[in-house]
Amino acid sequence: MDLVQEPGGAPSKSEIRSYFDPAEGTLDRRVFADQEIYDLEMRNIFARAWNFMCHESQIPNPGDYFINYIGEDQVIVVRDRKGEVQVLLNTCRHRGNALCRAEQGNAKSFVCSYHGWNYDLNGDLIGVPGMTAYYRKDFDKSQWGLARAAQVDHLHGFYFATLDPDTPPLPDYLGEVGRIGLGLLAANGPVEIVDGIQKNVIDCNWKIAVDNLFDWYHVQYSHASAGMAGFMDIAAILHPKHQMVMFGDYGHAISGPVITPERQAEIDAMTDDERLAIAAAGMLKDPSKPVVPPRLSAARELLGPTGVRCMGHPNIFPNLWISTNGTQLSLRLPRGPFATEIWWFTVLPKALPEEVKKKQIAFSAHLFGPAGMLEQDDGENWSQSTRASRGVKARSYRHHMAMGLGQDEVLTDATGTSRVETTISEHAQRWLYTNWMNWLTADDWAELKANHPALPKGRV
Ligand code: FES
Ligand SMILES: [Fe+2]
């Protein structure tokens, strides 16, 4: 029996480089099952990357906070008294207790429930019970404030944080593909994230859930039930012959349907009122045309000539998925090799009438999330794929990820993006794992910046 798993110890760099074979398009299943690989992911990917925290609309006032994660580090994202957004580790400096137990809310300060240490909204330690009687004043509070993220920044009000001071500035990290991804959320004007983040745990490895967001191969088959139930017209969404994959630095990518240049020219000739009339009339029924209403004219400047045609799913590496028409975004939060916490945020243009907002919120809840028509199908498949990676024999068989390999020519545009326009493919998944290996084997950001895979050119 050809066993690939050697027990114990962190994998060497050469082992890691064998996990995905980009020339063959195959993936070693142990990437879904090994604790050592997971631990490396926490250190070399999540602690180094820019991680999505929340939108400014979730924390508008001083004291407003939202709890999120950077890998396994739980953080408090809070607006301080000066109006600045702080990202503080939710762990008391005394014995490590979690300070904040609610998922979001408003606080005057953060008081630890164990011995009562009290921290200001900016993380400074401002109160210690027994300072005179027990510590006898031999204690320097200024040295024991909460740990902070190394950098915090935002684009269109979407806040990100990183634990690594050497991570490149957010705009450089996002690059053109990351900017298009976040731009899709802002393409129809200022937005808000509404209350009620849908959260559930699926017993799958986080990468299976990320791979899936690029995967338009499963839609027709896995989600046939959503079509049969009359929930959506799969054929109208899929456009299997009009698909685009955009490759971004550090592993960002967008994969899925694309508006043809001819149809985009028709949209470009419309006034915004004509576009809004199409939106008001409901989704387009002609399967040769995009199902999502045309974006407003300002979107072209925001998204660029190629981004404006994008109807696919962006992933901002490692784990932020933005839905096709920018109405939902999702985090795939790792919880060990065998579990992923899935969070769904609903994003709405502020200018929408309240009645339309209500309908959109209901539609989002029925689409993705624990009660969604689509994610119930997906979750079952991801669980079973992960489960099968644990078997001694089963894990010796590599995943096939070679659809379209060597079949497509890379195109570019004036903004320097790298893309293919083709049929349904697995180019984005191969780009994901090529970059994933690079993150895991880089010692630090200096190496990542110098050696990250160049955007593809020529035939892919
Ligand atoms: S653990 Fe927080 S005050 Fe002791
Ligand atoms: Fe799906």
Side-chain angles (χ1 to χ4, degrees), residues 39-306:
D39 294 342
L40 260 185
E41 288 173 334
M42 292 302 103
R43 201 176 68 210
N44 287 9
I45 296 177
F46 285 88
R48 281 184 192 156
W50 281 99
N51 293 256
F52 174 64
M53 296 286 100
C54 71
H55 186 255
E56 62 185 8
S57 58
Q58 295 178 269
I59 48 169
N61 304 308
D64 287 348
Y65 65 84
F66 181 75
I67 299 292
N68 205 329
Y69 293 86
I70 298 178
E72 296 271 7
D73 281 303
Q74 194 179 57
V75 293
I76 311 170
V77 190
V78 58
R79 195 173 290 279
D80 70 16
R81 288 176 217 291
K82 291 181 183 159
E84 301 289 321
V85 172
Q86 303 280 347
V87 176
L88 312 168
L89 262 62
N90 190 16
T91 177
C92 180
R93 292 290 305 280
H94 183 221
R95 288 288 194 284
N97 184 28
L99 289 162
C100 188
R101 307 294 178 88
E103 295 177 16
Q104 63 188 97
N106 183 280
K108 289 191 170 54
S109 63
F110 298 107
V111 184
C112 182
S113 61
Y114 200 168
H115 310 90
W117 285 22
N118 186 14
Y119 298 88
D120 204 354
L121 298 176
N122 65 1
D124 289 347
L125 180 60
I126 51 176
V128 175
M131 186 63 123
T132 305
Y134 308 144
Y135 286 102
R136 285 158 270 185
K137 298 188 179 167
D138 183 20
F139 184 95
D140 182 0
K141 288 201 299 261
S142 72
Q143 299 303 305
W144 292 89
L146 294 179
R148 295 177 170 90
Q151 302 182 62
V152 179
D153 198 1
H154 75 97
L155 182 63
H156 306 308
F158 292 89
Y159 274 86
F160 289 75
T162 175
L163 299 180
D164 193 333
D166 296 327
T167 307
L170 183 64
D172 297 352
Y173 178 81
L174 292 172
E176 191 64 15
V177 165
R179 280 199 291 275
I180 291 170
L182 288 178
L184 289 174
L185 295 159
N188 285 328
V191 293
E192 61 187 345
I193 283 183
V194 298
D195 272 349
I197 315 302
Q198 299 184 74
K199 300 178 179 178
N200 67 314
V201 176
I202 295 181
D203 48 355
C204 69
N205 185 277
W206 69 275
K207 296 185 293 300
I208 296 247
V210 174
D211 165 341
N212 172 267
L213 71 91
F214 295 134
D215 183 326
W216 291 77
Y217 182 37
H218 80 290
V219 174
Q220 205 162 10
Y221 201 78
S222 279
H223 301 308
S225 54
M228 278 156 53
F231 179 69
M232 58 174 35
D233 184 348
I234 302 283
I237 292 167
L238 196 56
H239 303 285
K241 291 189 177 141
H242 298 292
Q243 296 269 315
M244 176 167 72
V245 175
M246 296 184 88
F247 306 99
D249 283 325
Y250 304 120
H252 314 309
I254 304 175
S255 170
V258 63
I259 301 170
T260 62
E262 298 74 31
R263 174 62 183 158
Q264 187 60 44
E266 289 173 25
I267 295 170
D268 288 345
M270 292 178 195
T271 64
D272 275 349
D273 283 345
E274 287 168 326
R275 300 177 200 213
L276 286 167
I278 292 175
M283 293 185 168
L284 300 177
K285 295 294 178 204
D286 181 345
S288 70
K289 293 176 180 169
V291 74
V292 177
R295 300 187 173 110
L296 300 183
S297 50
R300 190 180 179 91
E301 195 172 331
L302 192 64
L303 302 173
T306 307

Side-chain angles (χ1 to χ4, degrees), residues 324-397:
T324 291
N325 50 356
T327 56
Q328 284 182 280
L329 57 82
S330 175
L331 282 172
R332 278 70 169 94
L333 296 167
R335 292 290 168 267
F338 307 119
T340 303
E341 201 167 319
I342 311 270
W343 289 11
W344 280 103
F345 302 72
T346 298
V347 184
L348 295 177
K350 283 184 182 166
L352 279 184
E354 283 307 311
E355 271 312 297
V356 181
K357 281 186 186 172
K358 269 188 199 161
K359 277 189 189 158
Q360 187 61 54
I361 291 167
F363 182 74
S364 293
H366 284 100
L367 189 63
F368 294 115
M373 287 292 285
L374 302 189
E375 208 153 80
Q376 295 185 31
D377 305 330
D378 289 329
E380 275 298 303
N381 295 326
W382 305 341
S383 290
Q384 295 305 317
S385 291
T386 301
R387 172 72 190 81
S389 302
R390 302 172 79 150
V392 169
K393 180 66 176 167
R395 77 189 336 194
S396 70
Y397 293 91

